Amino acid sequence: MTGRMTRPVLAACLTVLVLLALVPLLESNYLIDLFNEIMIYALFALSLNVIIGYSGNVSFGHAAYFAIGGYTMAILLTTYEWSLLPAFVAAVAFSFACSAVVAYFCTRLTDIYFAMLTLAFSMLVWGVAFKWRSMTGGDDGFVGVDVPAFIAERVPFYYFSLVVIASAVAVLWVICHSAFGRALLAVRENPVRAGFVGINTRLMRWWAFVVAGTFAGIAGALFAMVHRGMYTESAFWPESATVLIMTLLGGMYSFFGPAIGAASLFLLERLTNEYTEYWPLVLGTILLAILMFLPEGLAGLAQAVRRQILRGR
Amino acid sequence: MLKIEGLFKQFGGFVAIDDVSFELLEGEKHAIIGPNGAGKTTFFNLVTGHLLPDRGSVAFQGEDITGRPPHRIVKLGLARSFQRINIYPRMSVFENVQVALIARERQELRFFRLAAGLCGPETSELLELVGLDEEADELAGELAYGKQKQLELAIALAENPRVLLLDEPTAGMSPSETEEAIRLIREIADARGLTLLFTEHDMTVVFGIADRITVLHHGEIIASGAPEAVRSDPVVRQVYLGEEEAANGAA
């Protein structure tokens, strides 16, 4: 988490971007959908890591803001027939507003109490999505989202999604490596000391939560469009757990770690499902392995290997 | 500079600070000594806002700061270091000091200003001052103990304080490290015109730096004055220096 984007990292980012842009050339609907989904979850996991890796708190309810972004987008585009840009802006703004309110309460607490409160609020959001049938479709889900014609086809939508997500990740990178990001790390590392150098730790944690919620809202809005629908599962707690696992698997002490985690988990799931129906068993084993052997995730493993090689020279 | 009146703090039934009144004058180097458990650290925690006093008031430069949170007290120019190492272990030495500067310059809510190079020259200057310029890129948590203490000092100095509170700045250091630390603290305090308030266990450090000494015993002030006067005070000799000599004799 140094301040500069080093040349190898920049090169890797551009390579990934080019490869993602080339995916539609494979002319496989399966792959286009898969990579679209991976990109959305990568952004979702990166956003969660602002809370986990940068502010040092664990959220068990991050799916709430993903769902809020998604439902708002779906409802505005379809029920109220808004056009794309206003609907998108409103969806993101509403995620911002909701996370701002929830963060006000959650950041009064720390540790497990913080985590449990995030979970409680996410259950509240799930409850609204489940019960407010006339607006959200309830447990049938909100089906048939009107996606604007120019991105209605699979390939144009893929590129739209790629541009939005790449821009969002770039902005998130800047925020995480800004003066704010640096001060946030100090809050994670040692809140008492951070207070004694003049940092308002609660305000910093509030902002971290709001940034995370807002970017999760962006991911959710894209999710509603790619699936042409929004379902209560997206607000339910296992969804929060999934994105948490992605973050831990990829590595919370690295900016790009959670994106790597999202991609790995998706690919593993698809691969596993080809051979066996016991994906939850595999997932449990993976989680066990991370916690026991890779506390810093795949990104941490890569860094350790790199250090070993440098030391060997 | 710092005026404390009738400060009182109780933990359960235990009175940690018992009606302490105390004044710190501008430019002095004031040591607070006392046996273990005398209440030195609690006193610091009350003054810097880490703990709330049950009674009494703390005023800094005529302004009542009782009950304010640490991050607001620091902004007035009252910085502190800690007895136990209190740094950011997973950040580089450079970043440890840089964060204090970012906070001092009120940049901590700049979301789109990249941190790389921010406050760079001043950070390097401070690291050089405490002799950590070569370790700038190392992880703070991997530094040797004595160097972590120096880093702690650099972080406190970065806040550009007028009054610096040091809680046992040489605790756990070897004799040679202690000597070096004394020289450094004295030099910096003189160069920057700092008012210094520090607690200390080691009498060499106390008499090497302080121009006034206050003795705390069971949460009460039992003596205060010039080093020589305090050294020859019979009560002090009995409760504190005596114990020290007895301990030395036993060892």
Side-chain angles (χ1 to χ4, degrees), chain A residues 177 179 182 189-190 197 296, chain B residues 74 86 90 98 113 115 159:
Chain A
H177 294 80
R182 183 68 43 94
E189 284 294 293
N190 190 338
V197 300
E296 295 186 20
Chain B
V74 167
N86 217 337
R90 279 177 158 277
Q98 187 198 25
R113 177 157 208 180
E159 294 144 40

Side-chain angles (χ1 to χ4, degrees), chain A residues 45-62 103 105-119 180 183-191 200-210 212 240 243-244 247-248 252-253:
Chain A
L46 287 170
S47 77
L48 174 62
N49 202 37
V50 179
I51 298 178
I52 296 184
Y54 283 85
S55 85
N57 292 115
V58 178
S59 167
F60 289 147
H62 201 50
F105 295 102
C106 290
T107 53
R108 300 172 83 95
L109 307 174
T110 52
D111 307 318
I112 189 73
Y113 306 102
F114 172 92
M116 295 316 286
L117 200 56
T118 60
L119 178 63
F180 166 77
L184 197 57
L185 282 188
V187 174
R188 173 195 82 192
E189 284 294 293
N190 190 338
N200 183 343
T201 52
R202 199 180 141 197
L203 182 65
M204 296 296 291
R205 291 170 55 232
W206 183 84
W207 269 112
F209 197 105
V210 173
S240 296
V243 73
L244 186 61
T247 305
L248 294 179
M252 61 175 172
Y253 292 122

Side-chain angles (χ1 to χ4, degrees), chain A residues 43 46-47 50 168-177 211 215 255:
Chain A
L43 176 61
L46 287 170
S47 77
V50 179
V169 171
V171 172
L172 201 59
W173 188 92
V174 171
I175 292 174
C176 286
H177 294 80
V211 167
F215 281 83
F255 177 80

Side-chain angles (χ1 to χ4, degrees), chain A residues 1-4 171 173-175 177-180 182-183 185-186 188-190 192-200 203-204 207 253 296, chain B residues 48 50 70-71 74-75 80 82 86-91 95 98-99 103 107-116 118 152 155-156 159:
Chain A
M1 285 193 189
T2 49
R4 256 173 220 100
V171 172
W173 188 92
V174 171
I175 292 174
H177 294 80
S178 66
F180 166 77
R182 183 68 43 94
L185 282 188
R188 173 195 82 192
E189 284 294 293
N190 190 338
V192 172
R193 194 68 181 103
F196 274 105
V197 300
I199 295 172
N200 183 343
L203 182 65
M204 296 296 291
W207 269 112
Y253 292 122
E296 295 186 20
Chain B
T48 54
H50 193 46
H71 70 262
V74 167
K75 295 271 200 242
R80 77 172 285 187
F82 292 79
N86 217 337
I87 53 173
Y88 314 113
R90 279 177 158 277
M91 294 170 81
E95 289 166 345
Q98 187 198 25
V99 161
Q107 302 275 314
E108 73 270 24
L109 288 181
R110 292 293 202 88
F111 296 92
F112 300 107
R113 177 157 208 180
L114 288 180
L118 205 60
E152 173 109 34
I155 294 172
E159 294 144 40

Side-chain angles (χ1 to χ4, degrees), chain A residues 9-71:
Chain A
V9 174
L10 187 64
C13 287
L14 290 175
T15 311
V16 169
L17 204 59
V18 169
L19 289 177
L20 284 173
L22 293 177
V23 165
L25 298 184
L26 299 172
E27 292 188 341
S28 152
N29 288 346
Y30 174 79
L31 286 178
I32 293 174
D33 288 346
L34 175 63
F35 278 95
N36 211 337
E37 193 97 349
I38 287 176
M39 290 193 301
I40 289 169
Y41 273 84
L43 176 61
F44 189 14
L46 287 170
S47 77
L48 174 62
N49 202 37
V50 179
I51 298 178
I52 296 184
Y54 283 85
S55 85
N57 292 115
V58 178
S59 167
F60 289 147
H62 201 50
Y65 313 97
F66 183 83
I68 287 169
Y71 273 109

